[in-house]
Structures are given as structure tokens and as C-alpha cells.
């Protein structure tokens, strides 16, 4: 069977430029605060790594492992934590880093969960947003790109665990 083709939607250069802009805004907004980046695994690992390296104020980095019990390809909002934060976050300023907000159910659940741990603030930074699939209104405080309802891969995002290592974001097409 032939390999499916991947058509570029957002090039590595476009992503780099946008990530730098987001990091600049975050660095400015969180000066003199206690910023903790919470990287939601797995998809956010590439975005979080690039974003963190462009932020020029002190940050703590945490990882949250999440498994979403989906109905096929869409999430149900029932989220299981497979790896929890390594330390308490009370009194700290949390920025949840997501690769994509699709239905919004995952981030809605995470905001509720993190809010119970008494942080000073919780905000969201997402690289991609697909408003066409939104099922719940969620705040996205820092957003990279709004995209159409297409299945995207690369830059951390997978298709059956493949393509996470692509340096750009693309759409998987027919082979
Ligand atoms: C993706 C993404 C978000 C979630 C968004 O994770 O990283 O966590 O889906 O979808 P939603 O807005 O519809 O809830 P995925 O379940 O693909 O897991 P992965 O990050 O491990 O690839």
C-alpha cells in the first residue's frame, strides 16, 4: 500500500514566527509572576519545548499525562490523568500548553481539575484551534492559529502515533 501524502498546512517557518510572538506576549504578561508551564502530553511536547525556549522570564515546567476516552476520533471529555504534576501548584500562575483545542472537552476538564488545586491563576495557550468542532466554550488566552476542520498531523500531533516528529503541520491526504 502506498504511503499517504502529507500536505503542508503550516510551515516550520510560520510556526517558528508565531511561537516567538506568543512567547513574547507571555514573557511580557508574566513578568514578576510565578509562571508554571503545564505541557499536556503527548501532543504538546514539541510546541511546549519551542515555546519554553523563547520565553525569557523564569518558568517552571510540568507535564500532565492525559488519556481521553473518545468516541472514535473525537474526545468524550472523560479524561484520565496518566501522569500527574510533580509538585503542588497552589499560589502559582499556571499556563496550560495544548497543541490543539478541538471539541474543547479536554481543556474544560483540565481547567476544572487544576482549579481545585488553588493556583493563583490558570490560563490556556494553544497552538491550534478548530472552532468548527467546538462543543464547549473554553477560553484560549494565547492562540497560535485558527484552522479549518481538517485532520492535522506533525509538530507533536499524531495519526495513530505517527507523524509527531514532522517539523511542520500538515494534512494527511489520500495515498
Ligand atoms: C489531543 C490534544 C488535546 C485534545 C483536544 O490529544 O492534545 O489534548 O486532543 O481535543 P478536544 O478539544 O476534542 O478535547 P489526543 O487525545 O490526541 O492525545 P495525544 O496528545 O496524546 O496525541
Amino acid at each position: 500500500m502506498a504511503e499517504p501524502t502529507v500536505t503542508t498546512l503550516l510551515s516550520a517557518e510560520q510556526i517558528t514566527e508565531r511561537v516567538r510572538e506568543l512567547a513574547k506576549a507571555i514573557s511580557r504578561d508574566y513578568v514578576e509572576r510565578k509562571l508554571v508551564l503545564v505541557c499536556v502530553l503527548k501532543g504538546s511536547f514539541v510546541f511546549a519545548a519551542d515555546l519554553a525556549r523563547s520565553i525569557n522570564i523564569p518558568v517552571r515546567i510540568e507535564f500532565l499525562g492525559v488519556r481521553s476516552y473518545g468516541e472514535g476520533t473525537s474526545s468524550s471529555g472523560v479524561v484520565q490523568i496518566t501522569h500527574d504534576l510533580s509538585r503542588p501548584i497552589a499560589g502559582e500562575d499556571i499556563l496550560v500548553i495544548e497543541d490543539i483545542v478541538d471539541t474543547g472537552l479536554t481543556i474544560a476538564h483540565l481547567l476544572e481539575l487544576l482549579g481545585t488545586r488553588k493556583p493563583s491563576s490558570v490560563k490556556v495557550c494553544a497552538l491550534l484551534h478548530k472552532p468548527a468542532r467546538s462543543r464547549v466554550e473554553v477560553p484560549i488566552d494565547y492562540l497560535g492559529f485558527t484552522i479549518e476542520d481538517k485532520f492535522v498531523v506533525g509538530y507533536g500531533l499524531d495519526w495513530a502515533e505517527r507523524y509527531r516528529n514532522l517539523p511542520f503541520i500538515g494534512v494527511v491526504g489520500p495515498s
Side-chain angles (χ1 to χ4, degrees), residues 41-43 68 75 98-106 158 164:
L41 298 172
K42 296 178 187 174
S68 145
S75 72
E98 267 290 22
D99 51 335
I100 187 164
V101 175
D102 198 337
T103 63
L105 293 169
T106 302
D158 75 309
R164 290 195 199 274

Side-chain angles (χ1 to χ4, degrees), residues 10 14-15 18 126-130 143-147 169:
L10 295 164
Q14 282 175 289
I15 297 169
R18 192 72 190 113
L127 182 66
L128 306 174
H129 182 217
K130 252 191 218 175
L143 174 64
F145 303 93
T146 298
I147 60 167
I169 289 172

Side-chain angles (χ1 to χ4, degrees), residues 2 7 15-16 19 25 55 73 77 79 99-100 111 119 122-123 130 159 169:
T7 310
I15 297 169
T16 300
V19 169
I55 289 176
T73 54
V79 170
D99 51 335
I100 187 164
L111 290 176
V122 186
K123 290 197 172 181
K130 252 191 218 175
W159 181 52
I169 289 172

Side-chain angles (χ1 to χ4, degrees), residues 63-133:
F63 298 92
L64 200 53
V66 163
R67 183 182 297 138
S68 145
Y69 288 111
E71 306 141 0
T73 54
S74 76
S75 72
S76 62
V78 182
V79 170
Q80 183 193 0
I81 302 299
T82 56
H83 174 90
D84 207 343
L85 306 180
S86 70
R87 293 194 203 170
I89 53 169
E92 296 186 288
D93 294 297
I94 307 306
L95 188 58
V96 183
I97 311 297
E98 267 290 22
D99 51 335
I100 187 164
V101 175
D102 198 337
T103 63
L105 293 169
T106 302
I107 203 74
H109 180 90
L110 294 182
L111 290 176
E112 204 180 304
L113 171 79
L114 295 170
T116 64
R117 300 184 183 185
K118 308 278 180 263
S120 274
S121 65
V122 186
K123 290 197 172 181
V124 175
C125 175
L127 182 66
L128 306 174
H129 182 217
K130 252 191 218 175
R133 288 180 41 94

Side-chain angles (χ1 to χ4, degrees), residues 126-140:
L127 182 66
L128 306 174
H129 182 217
K130 252 191 218 175
R133 288 180 41 94
S134 176
R135 281 174 60 186
V136 57
E137 192 87 0
V138 286
I140 304 177

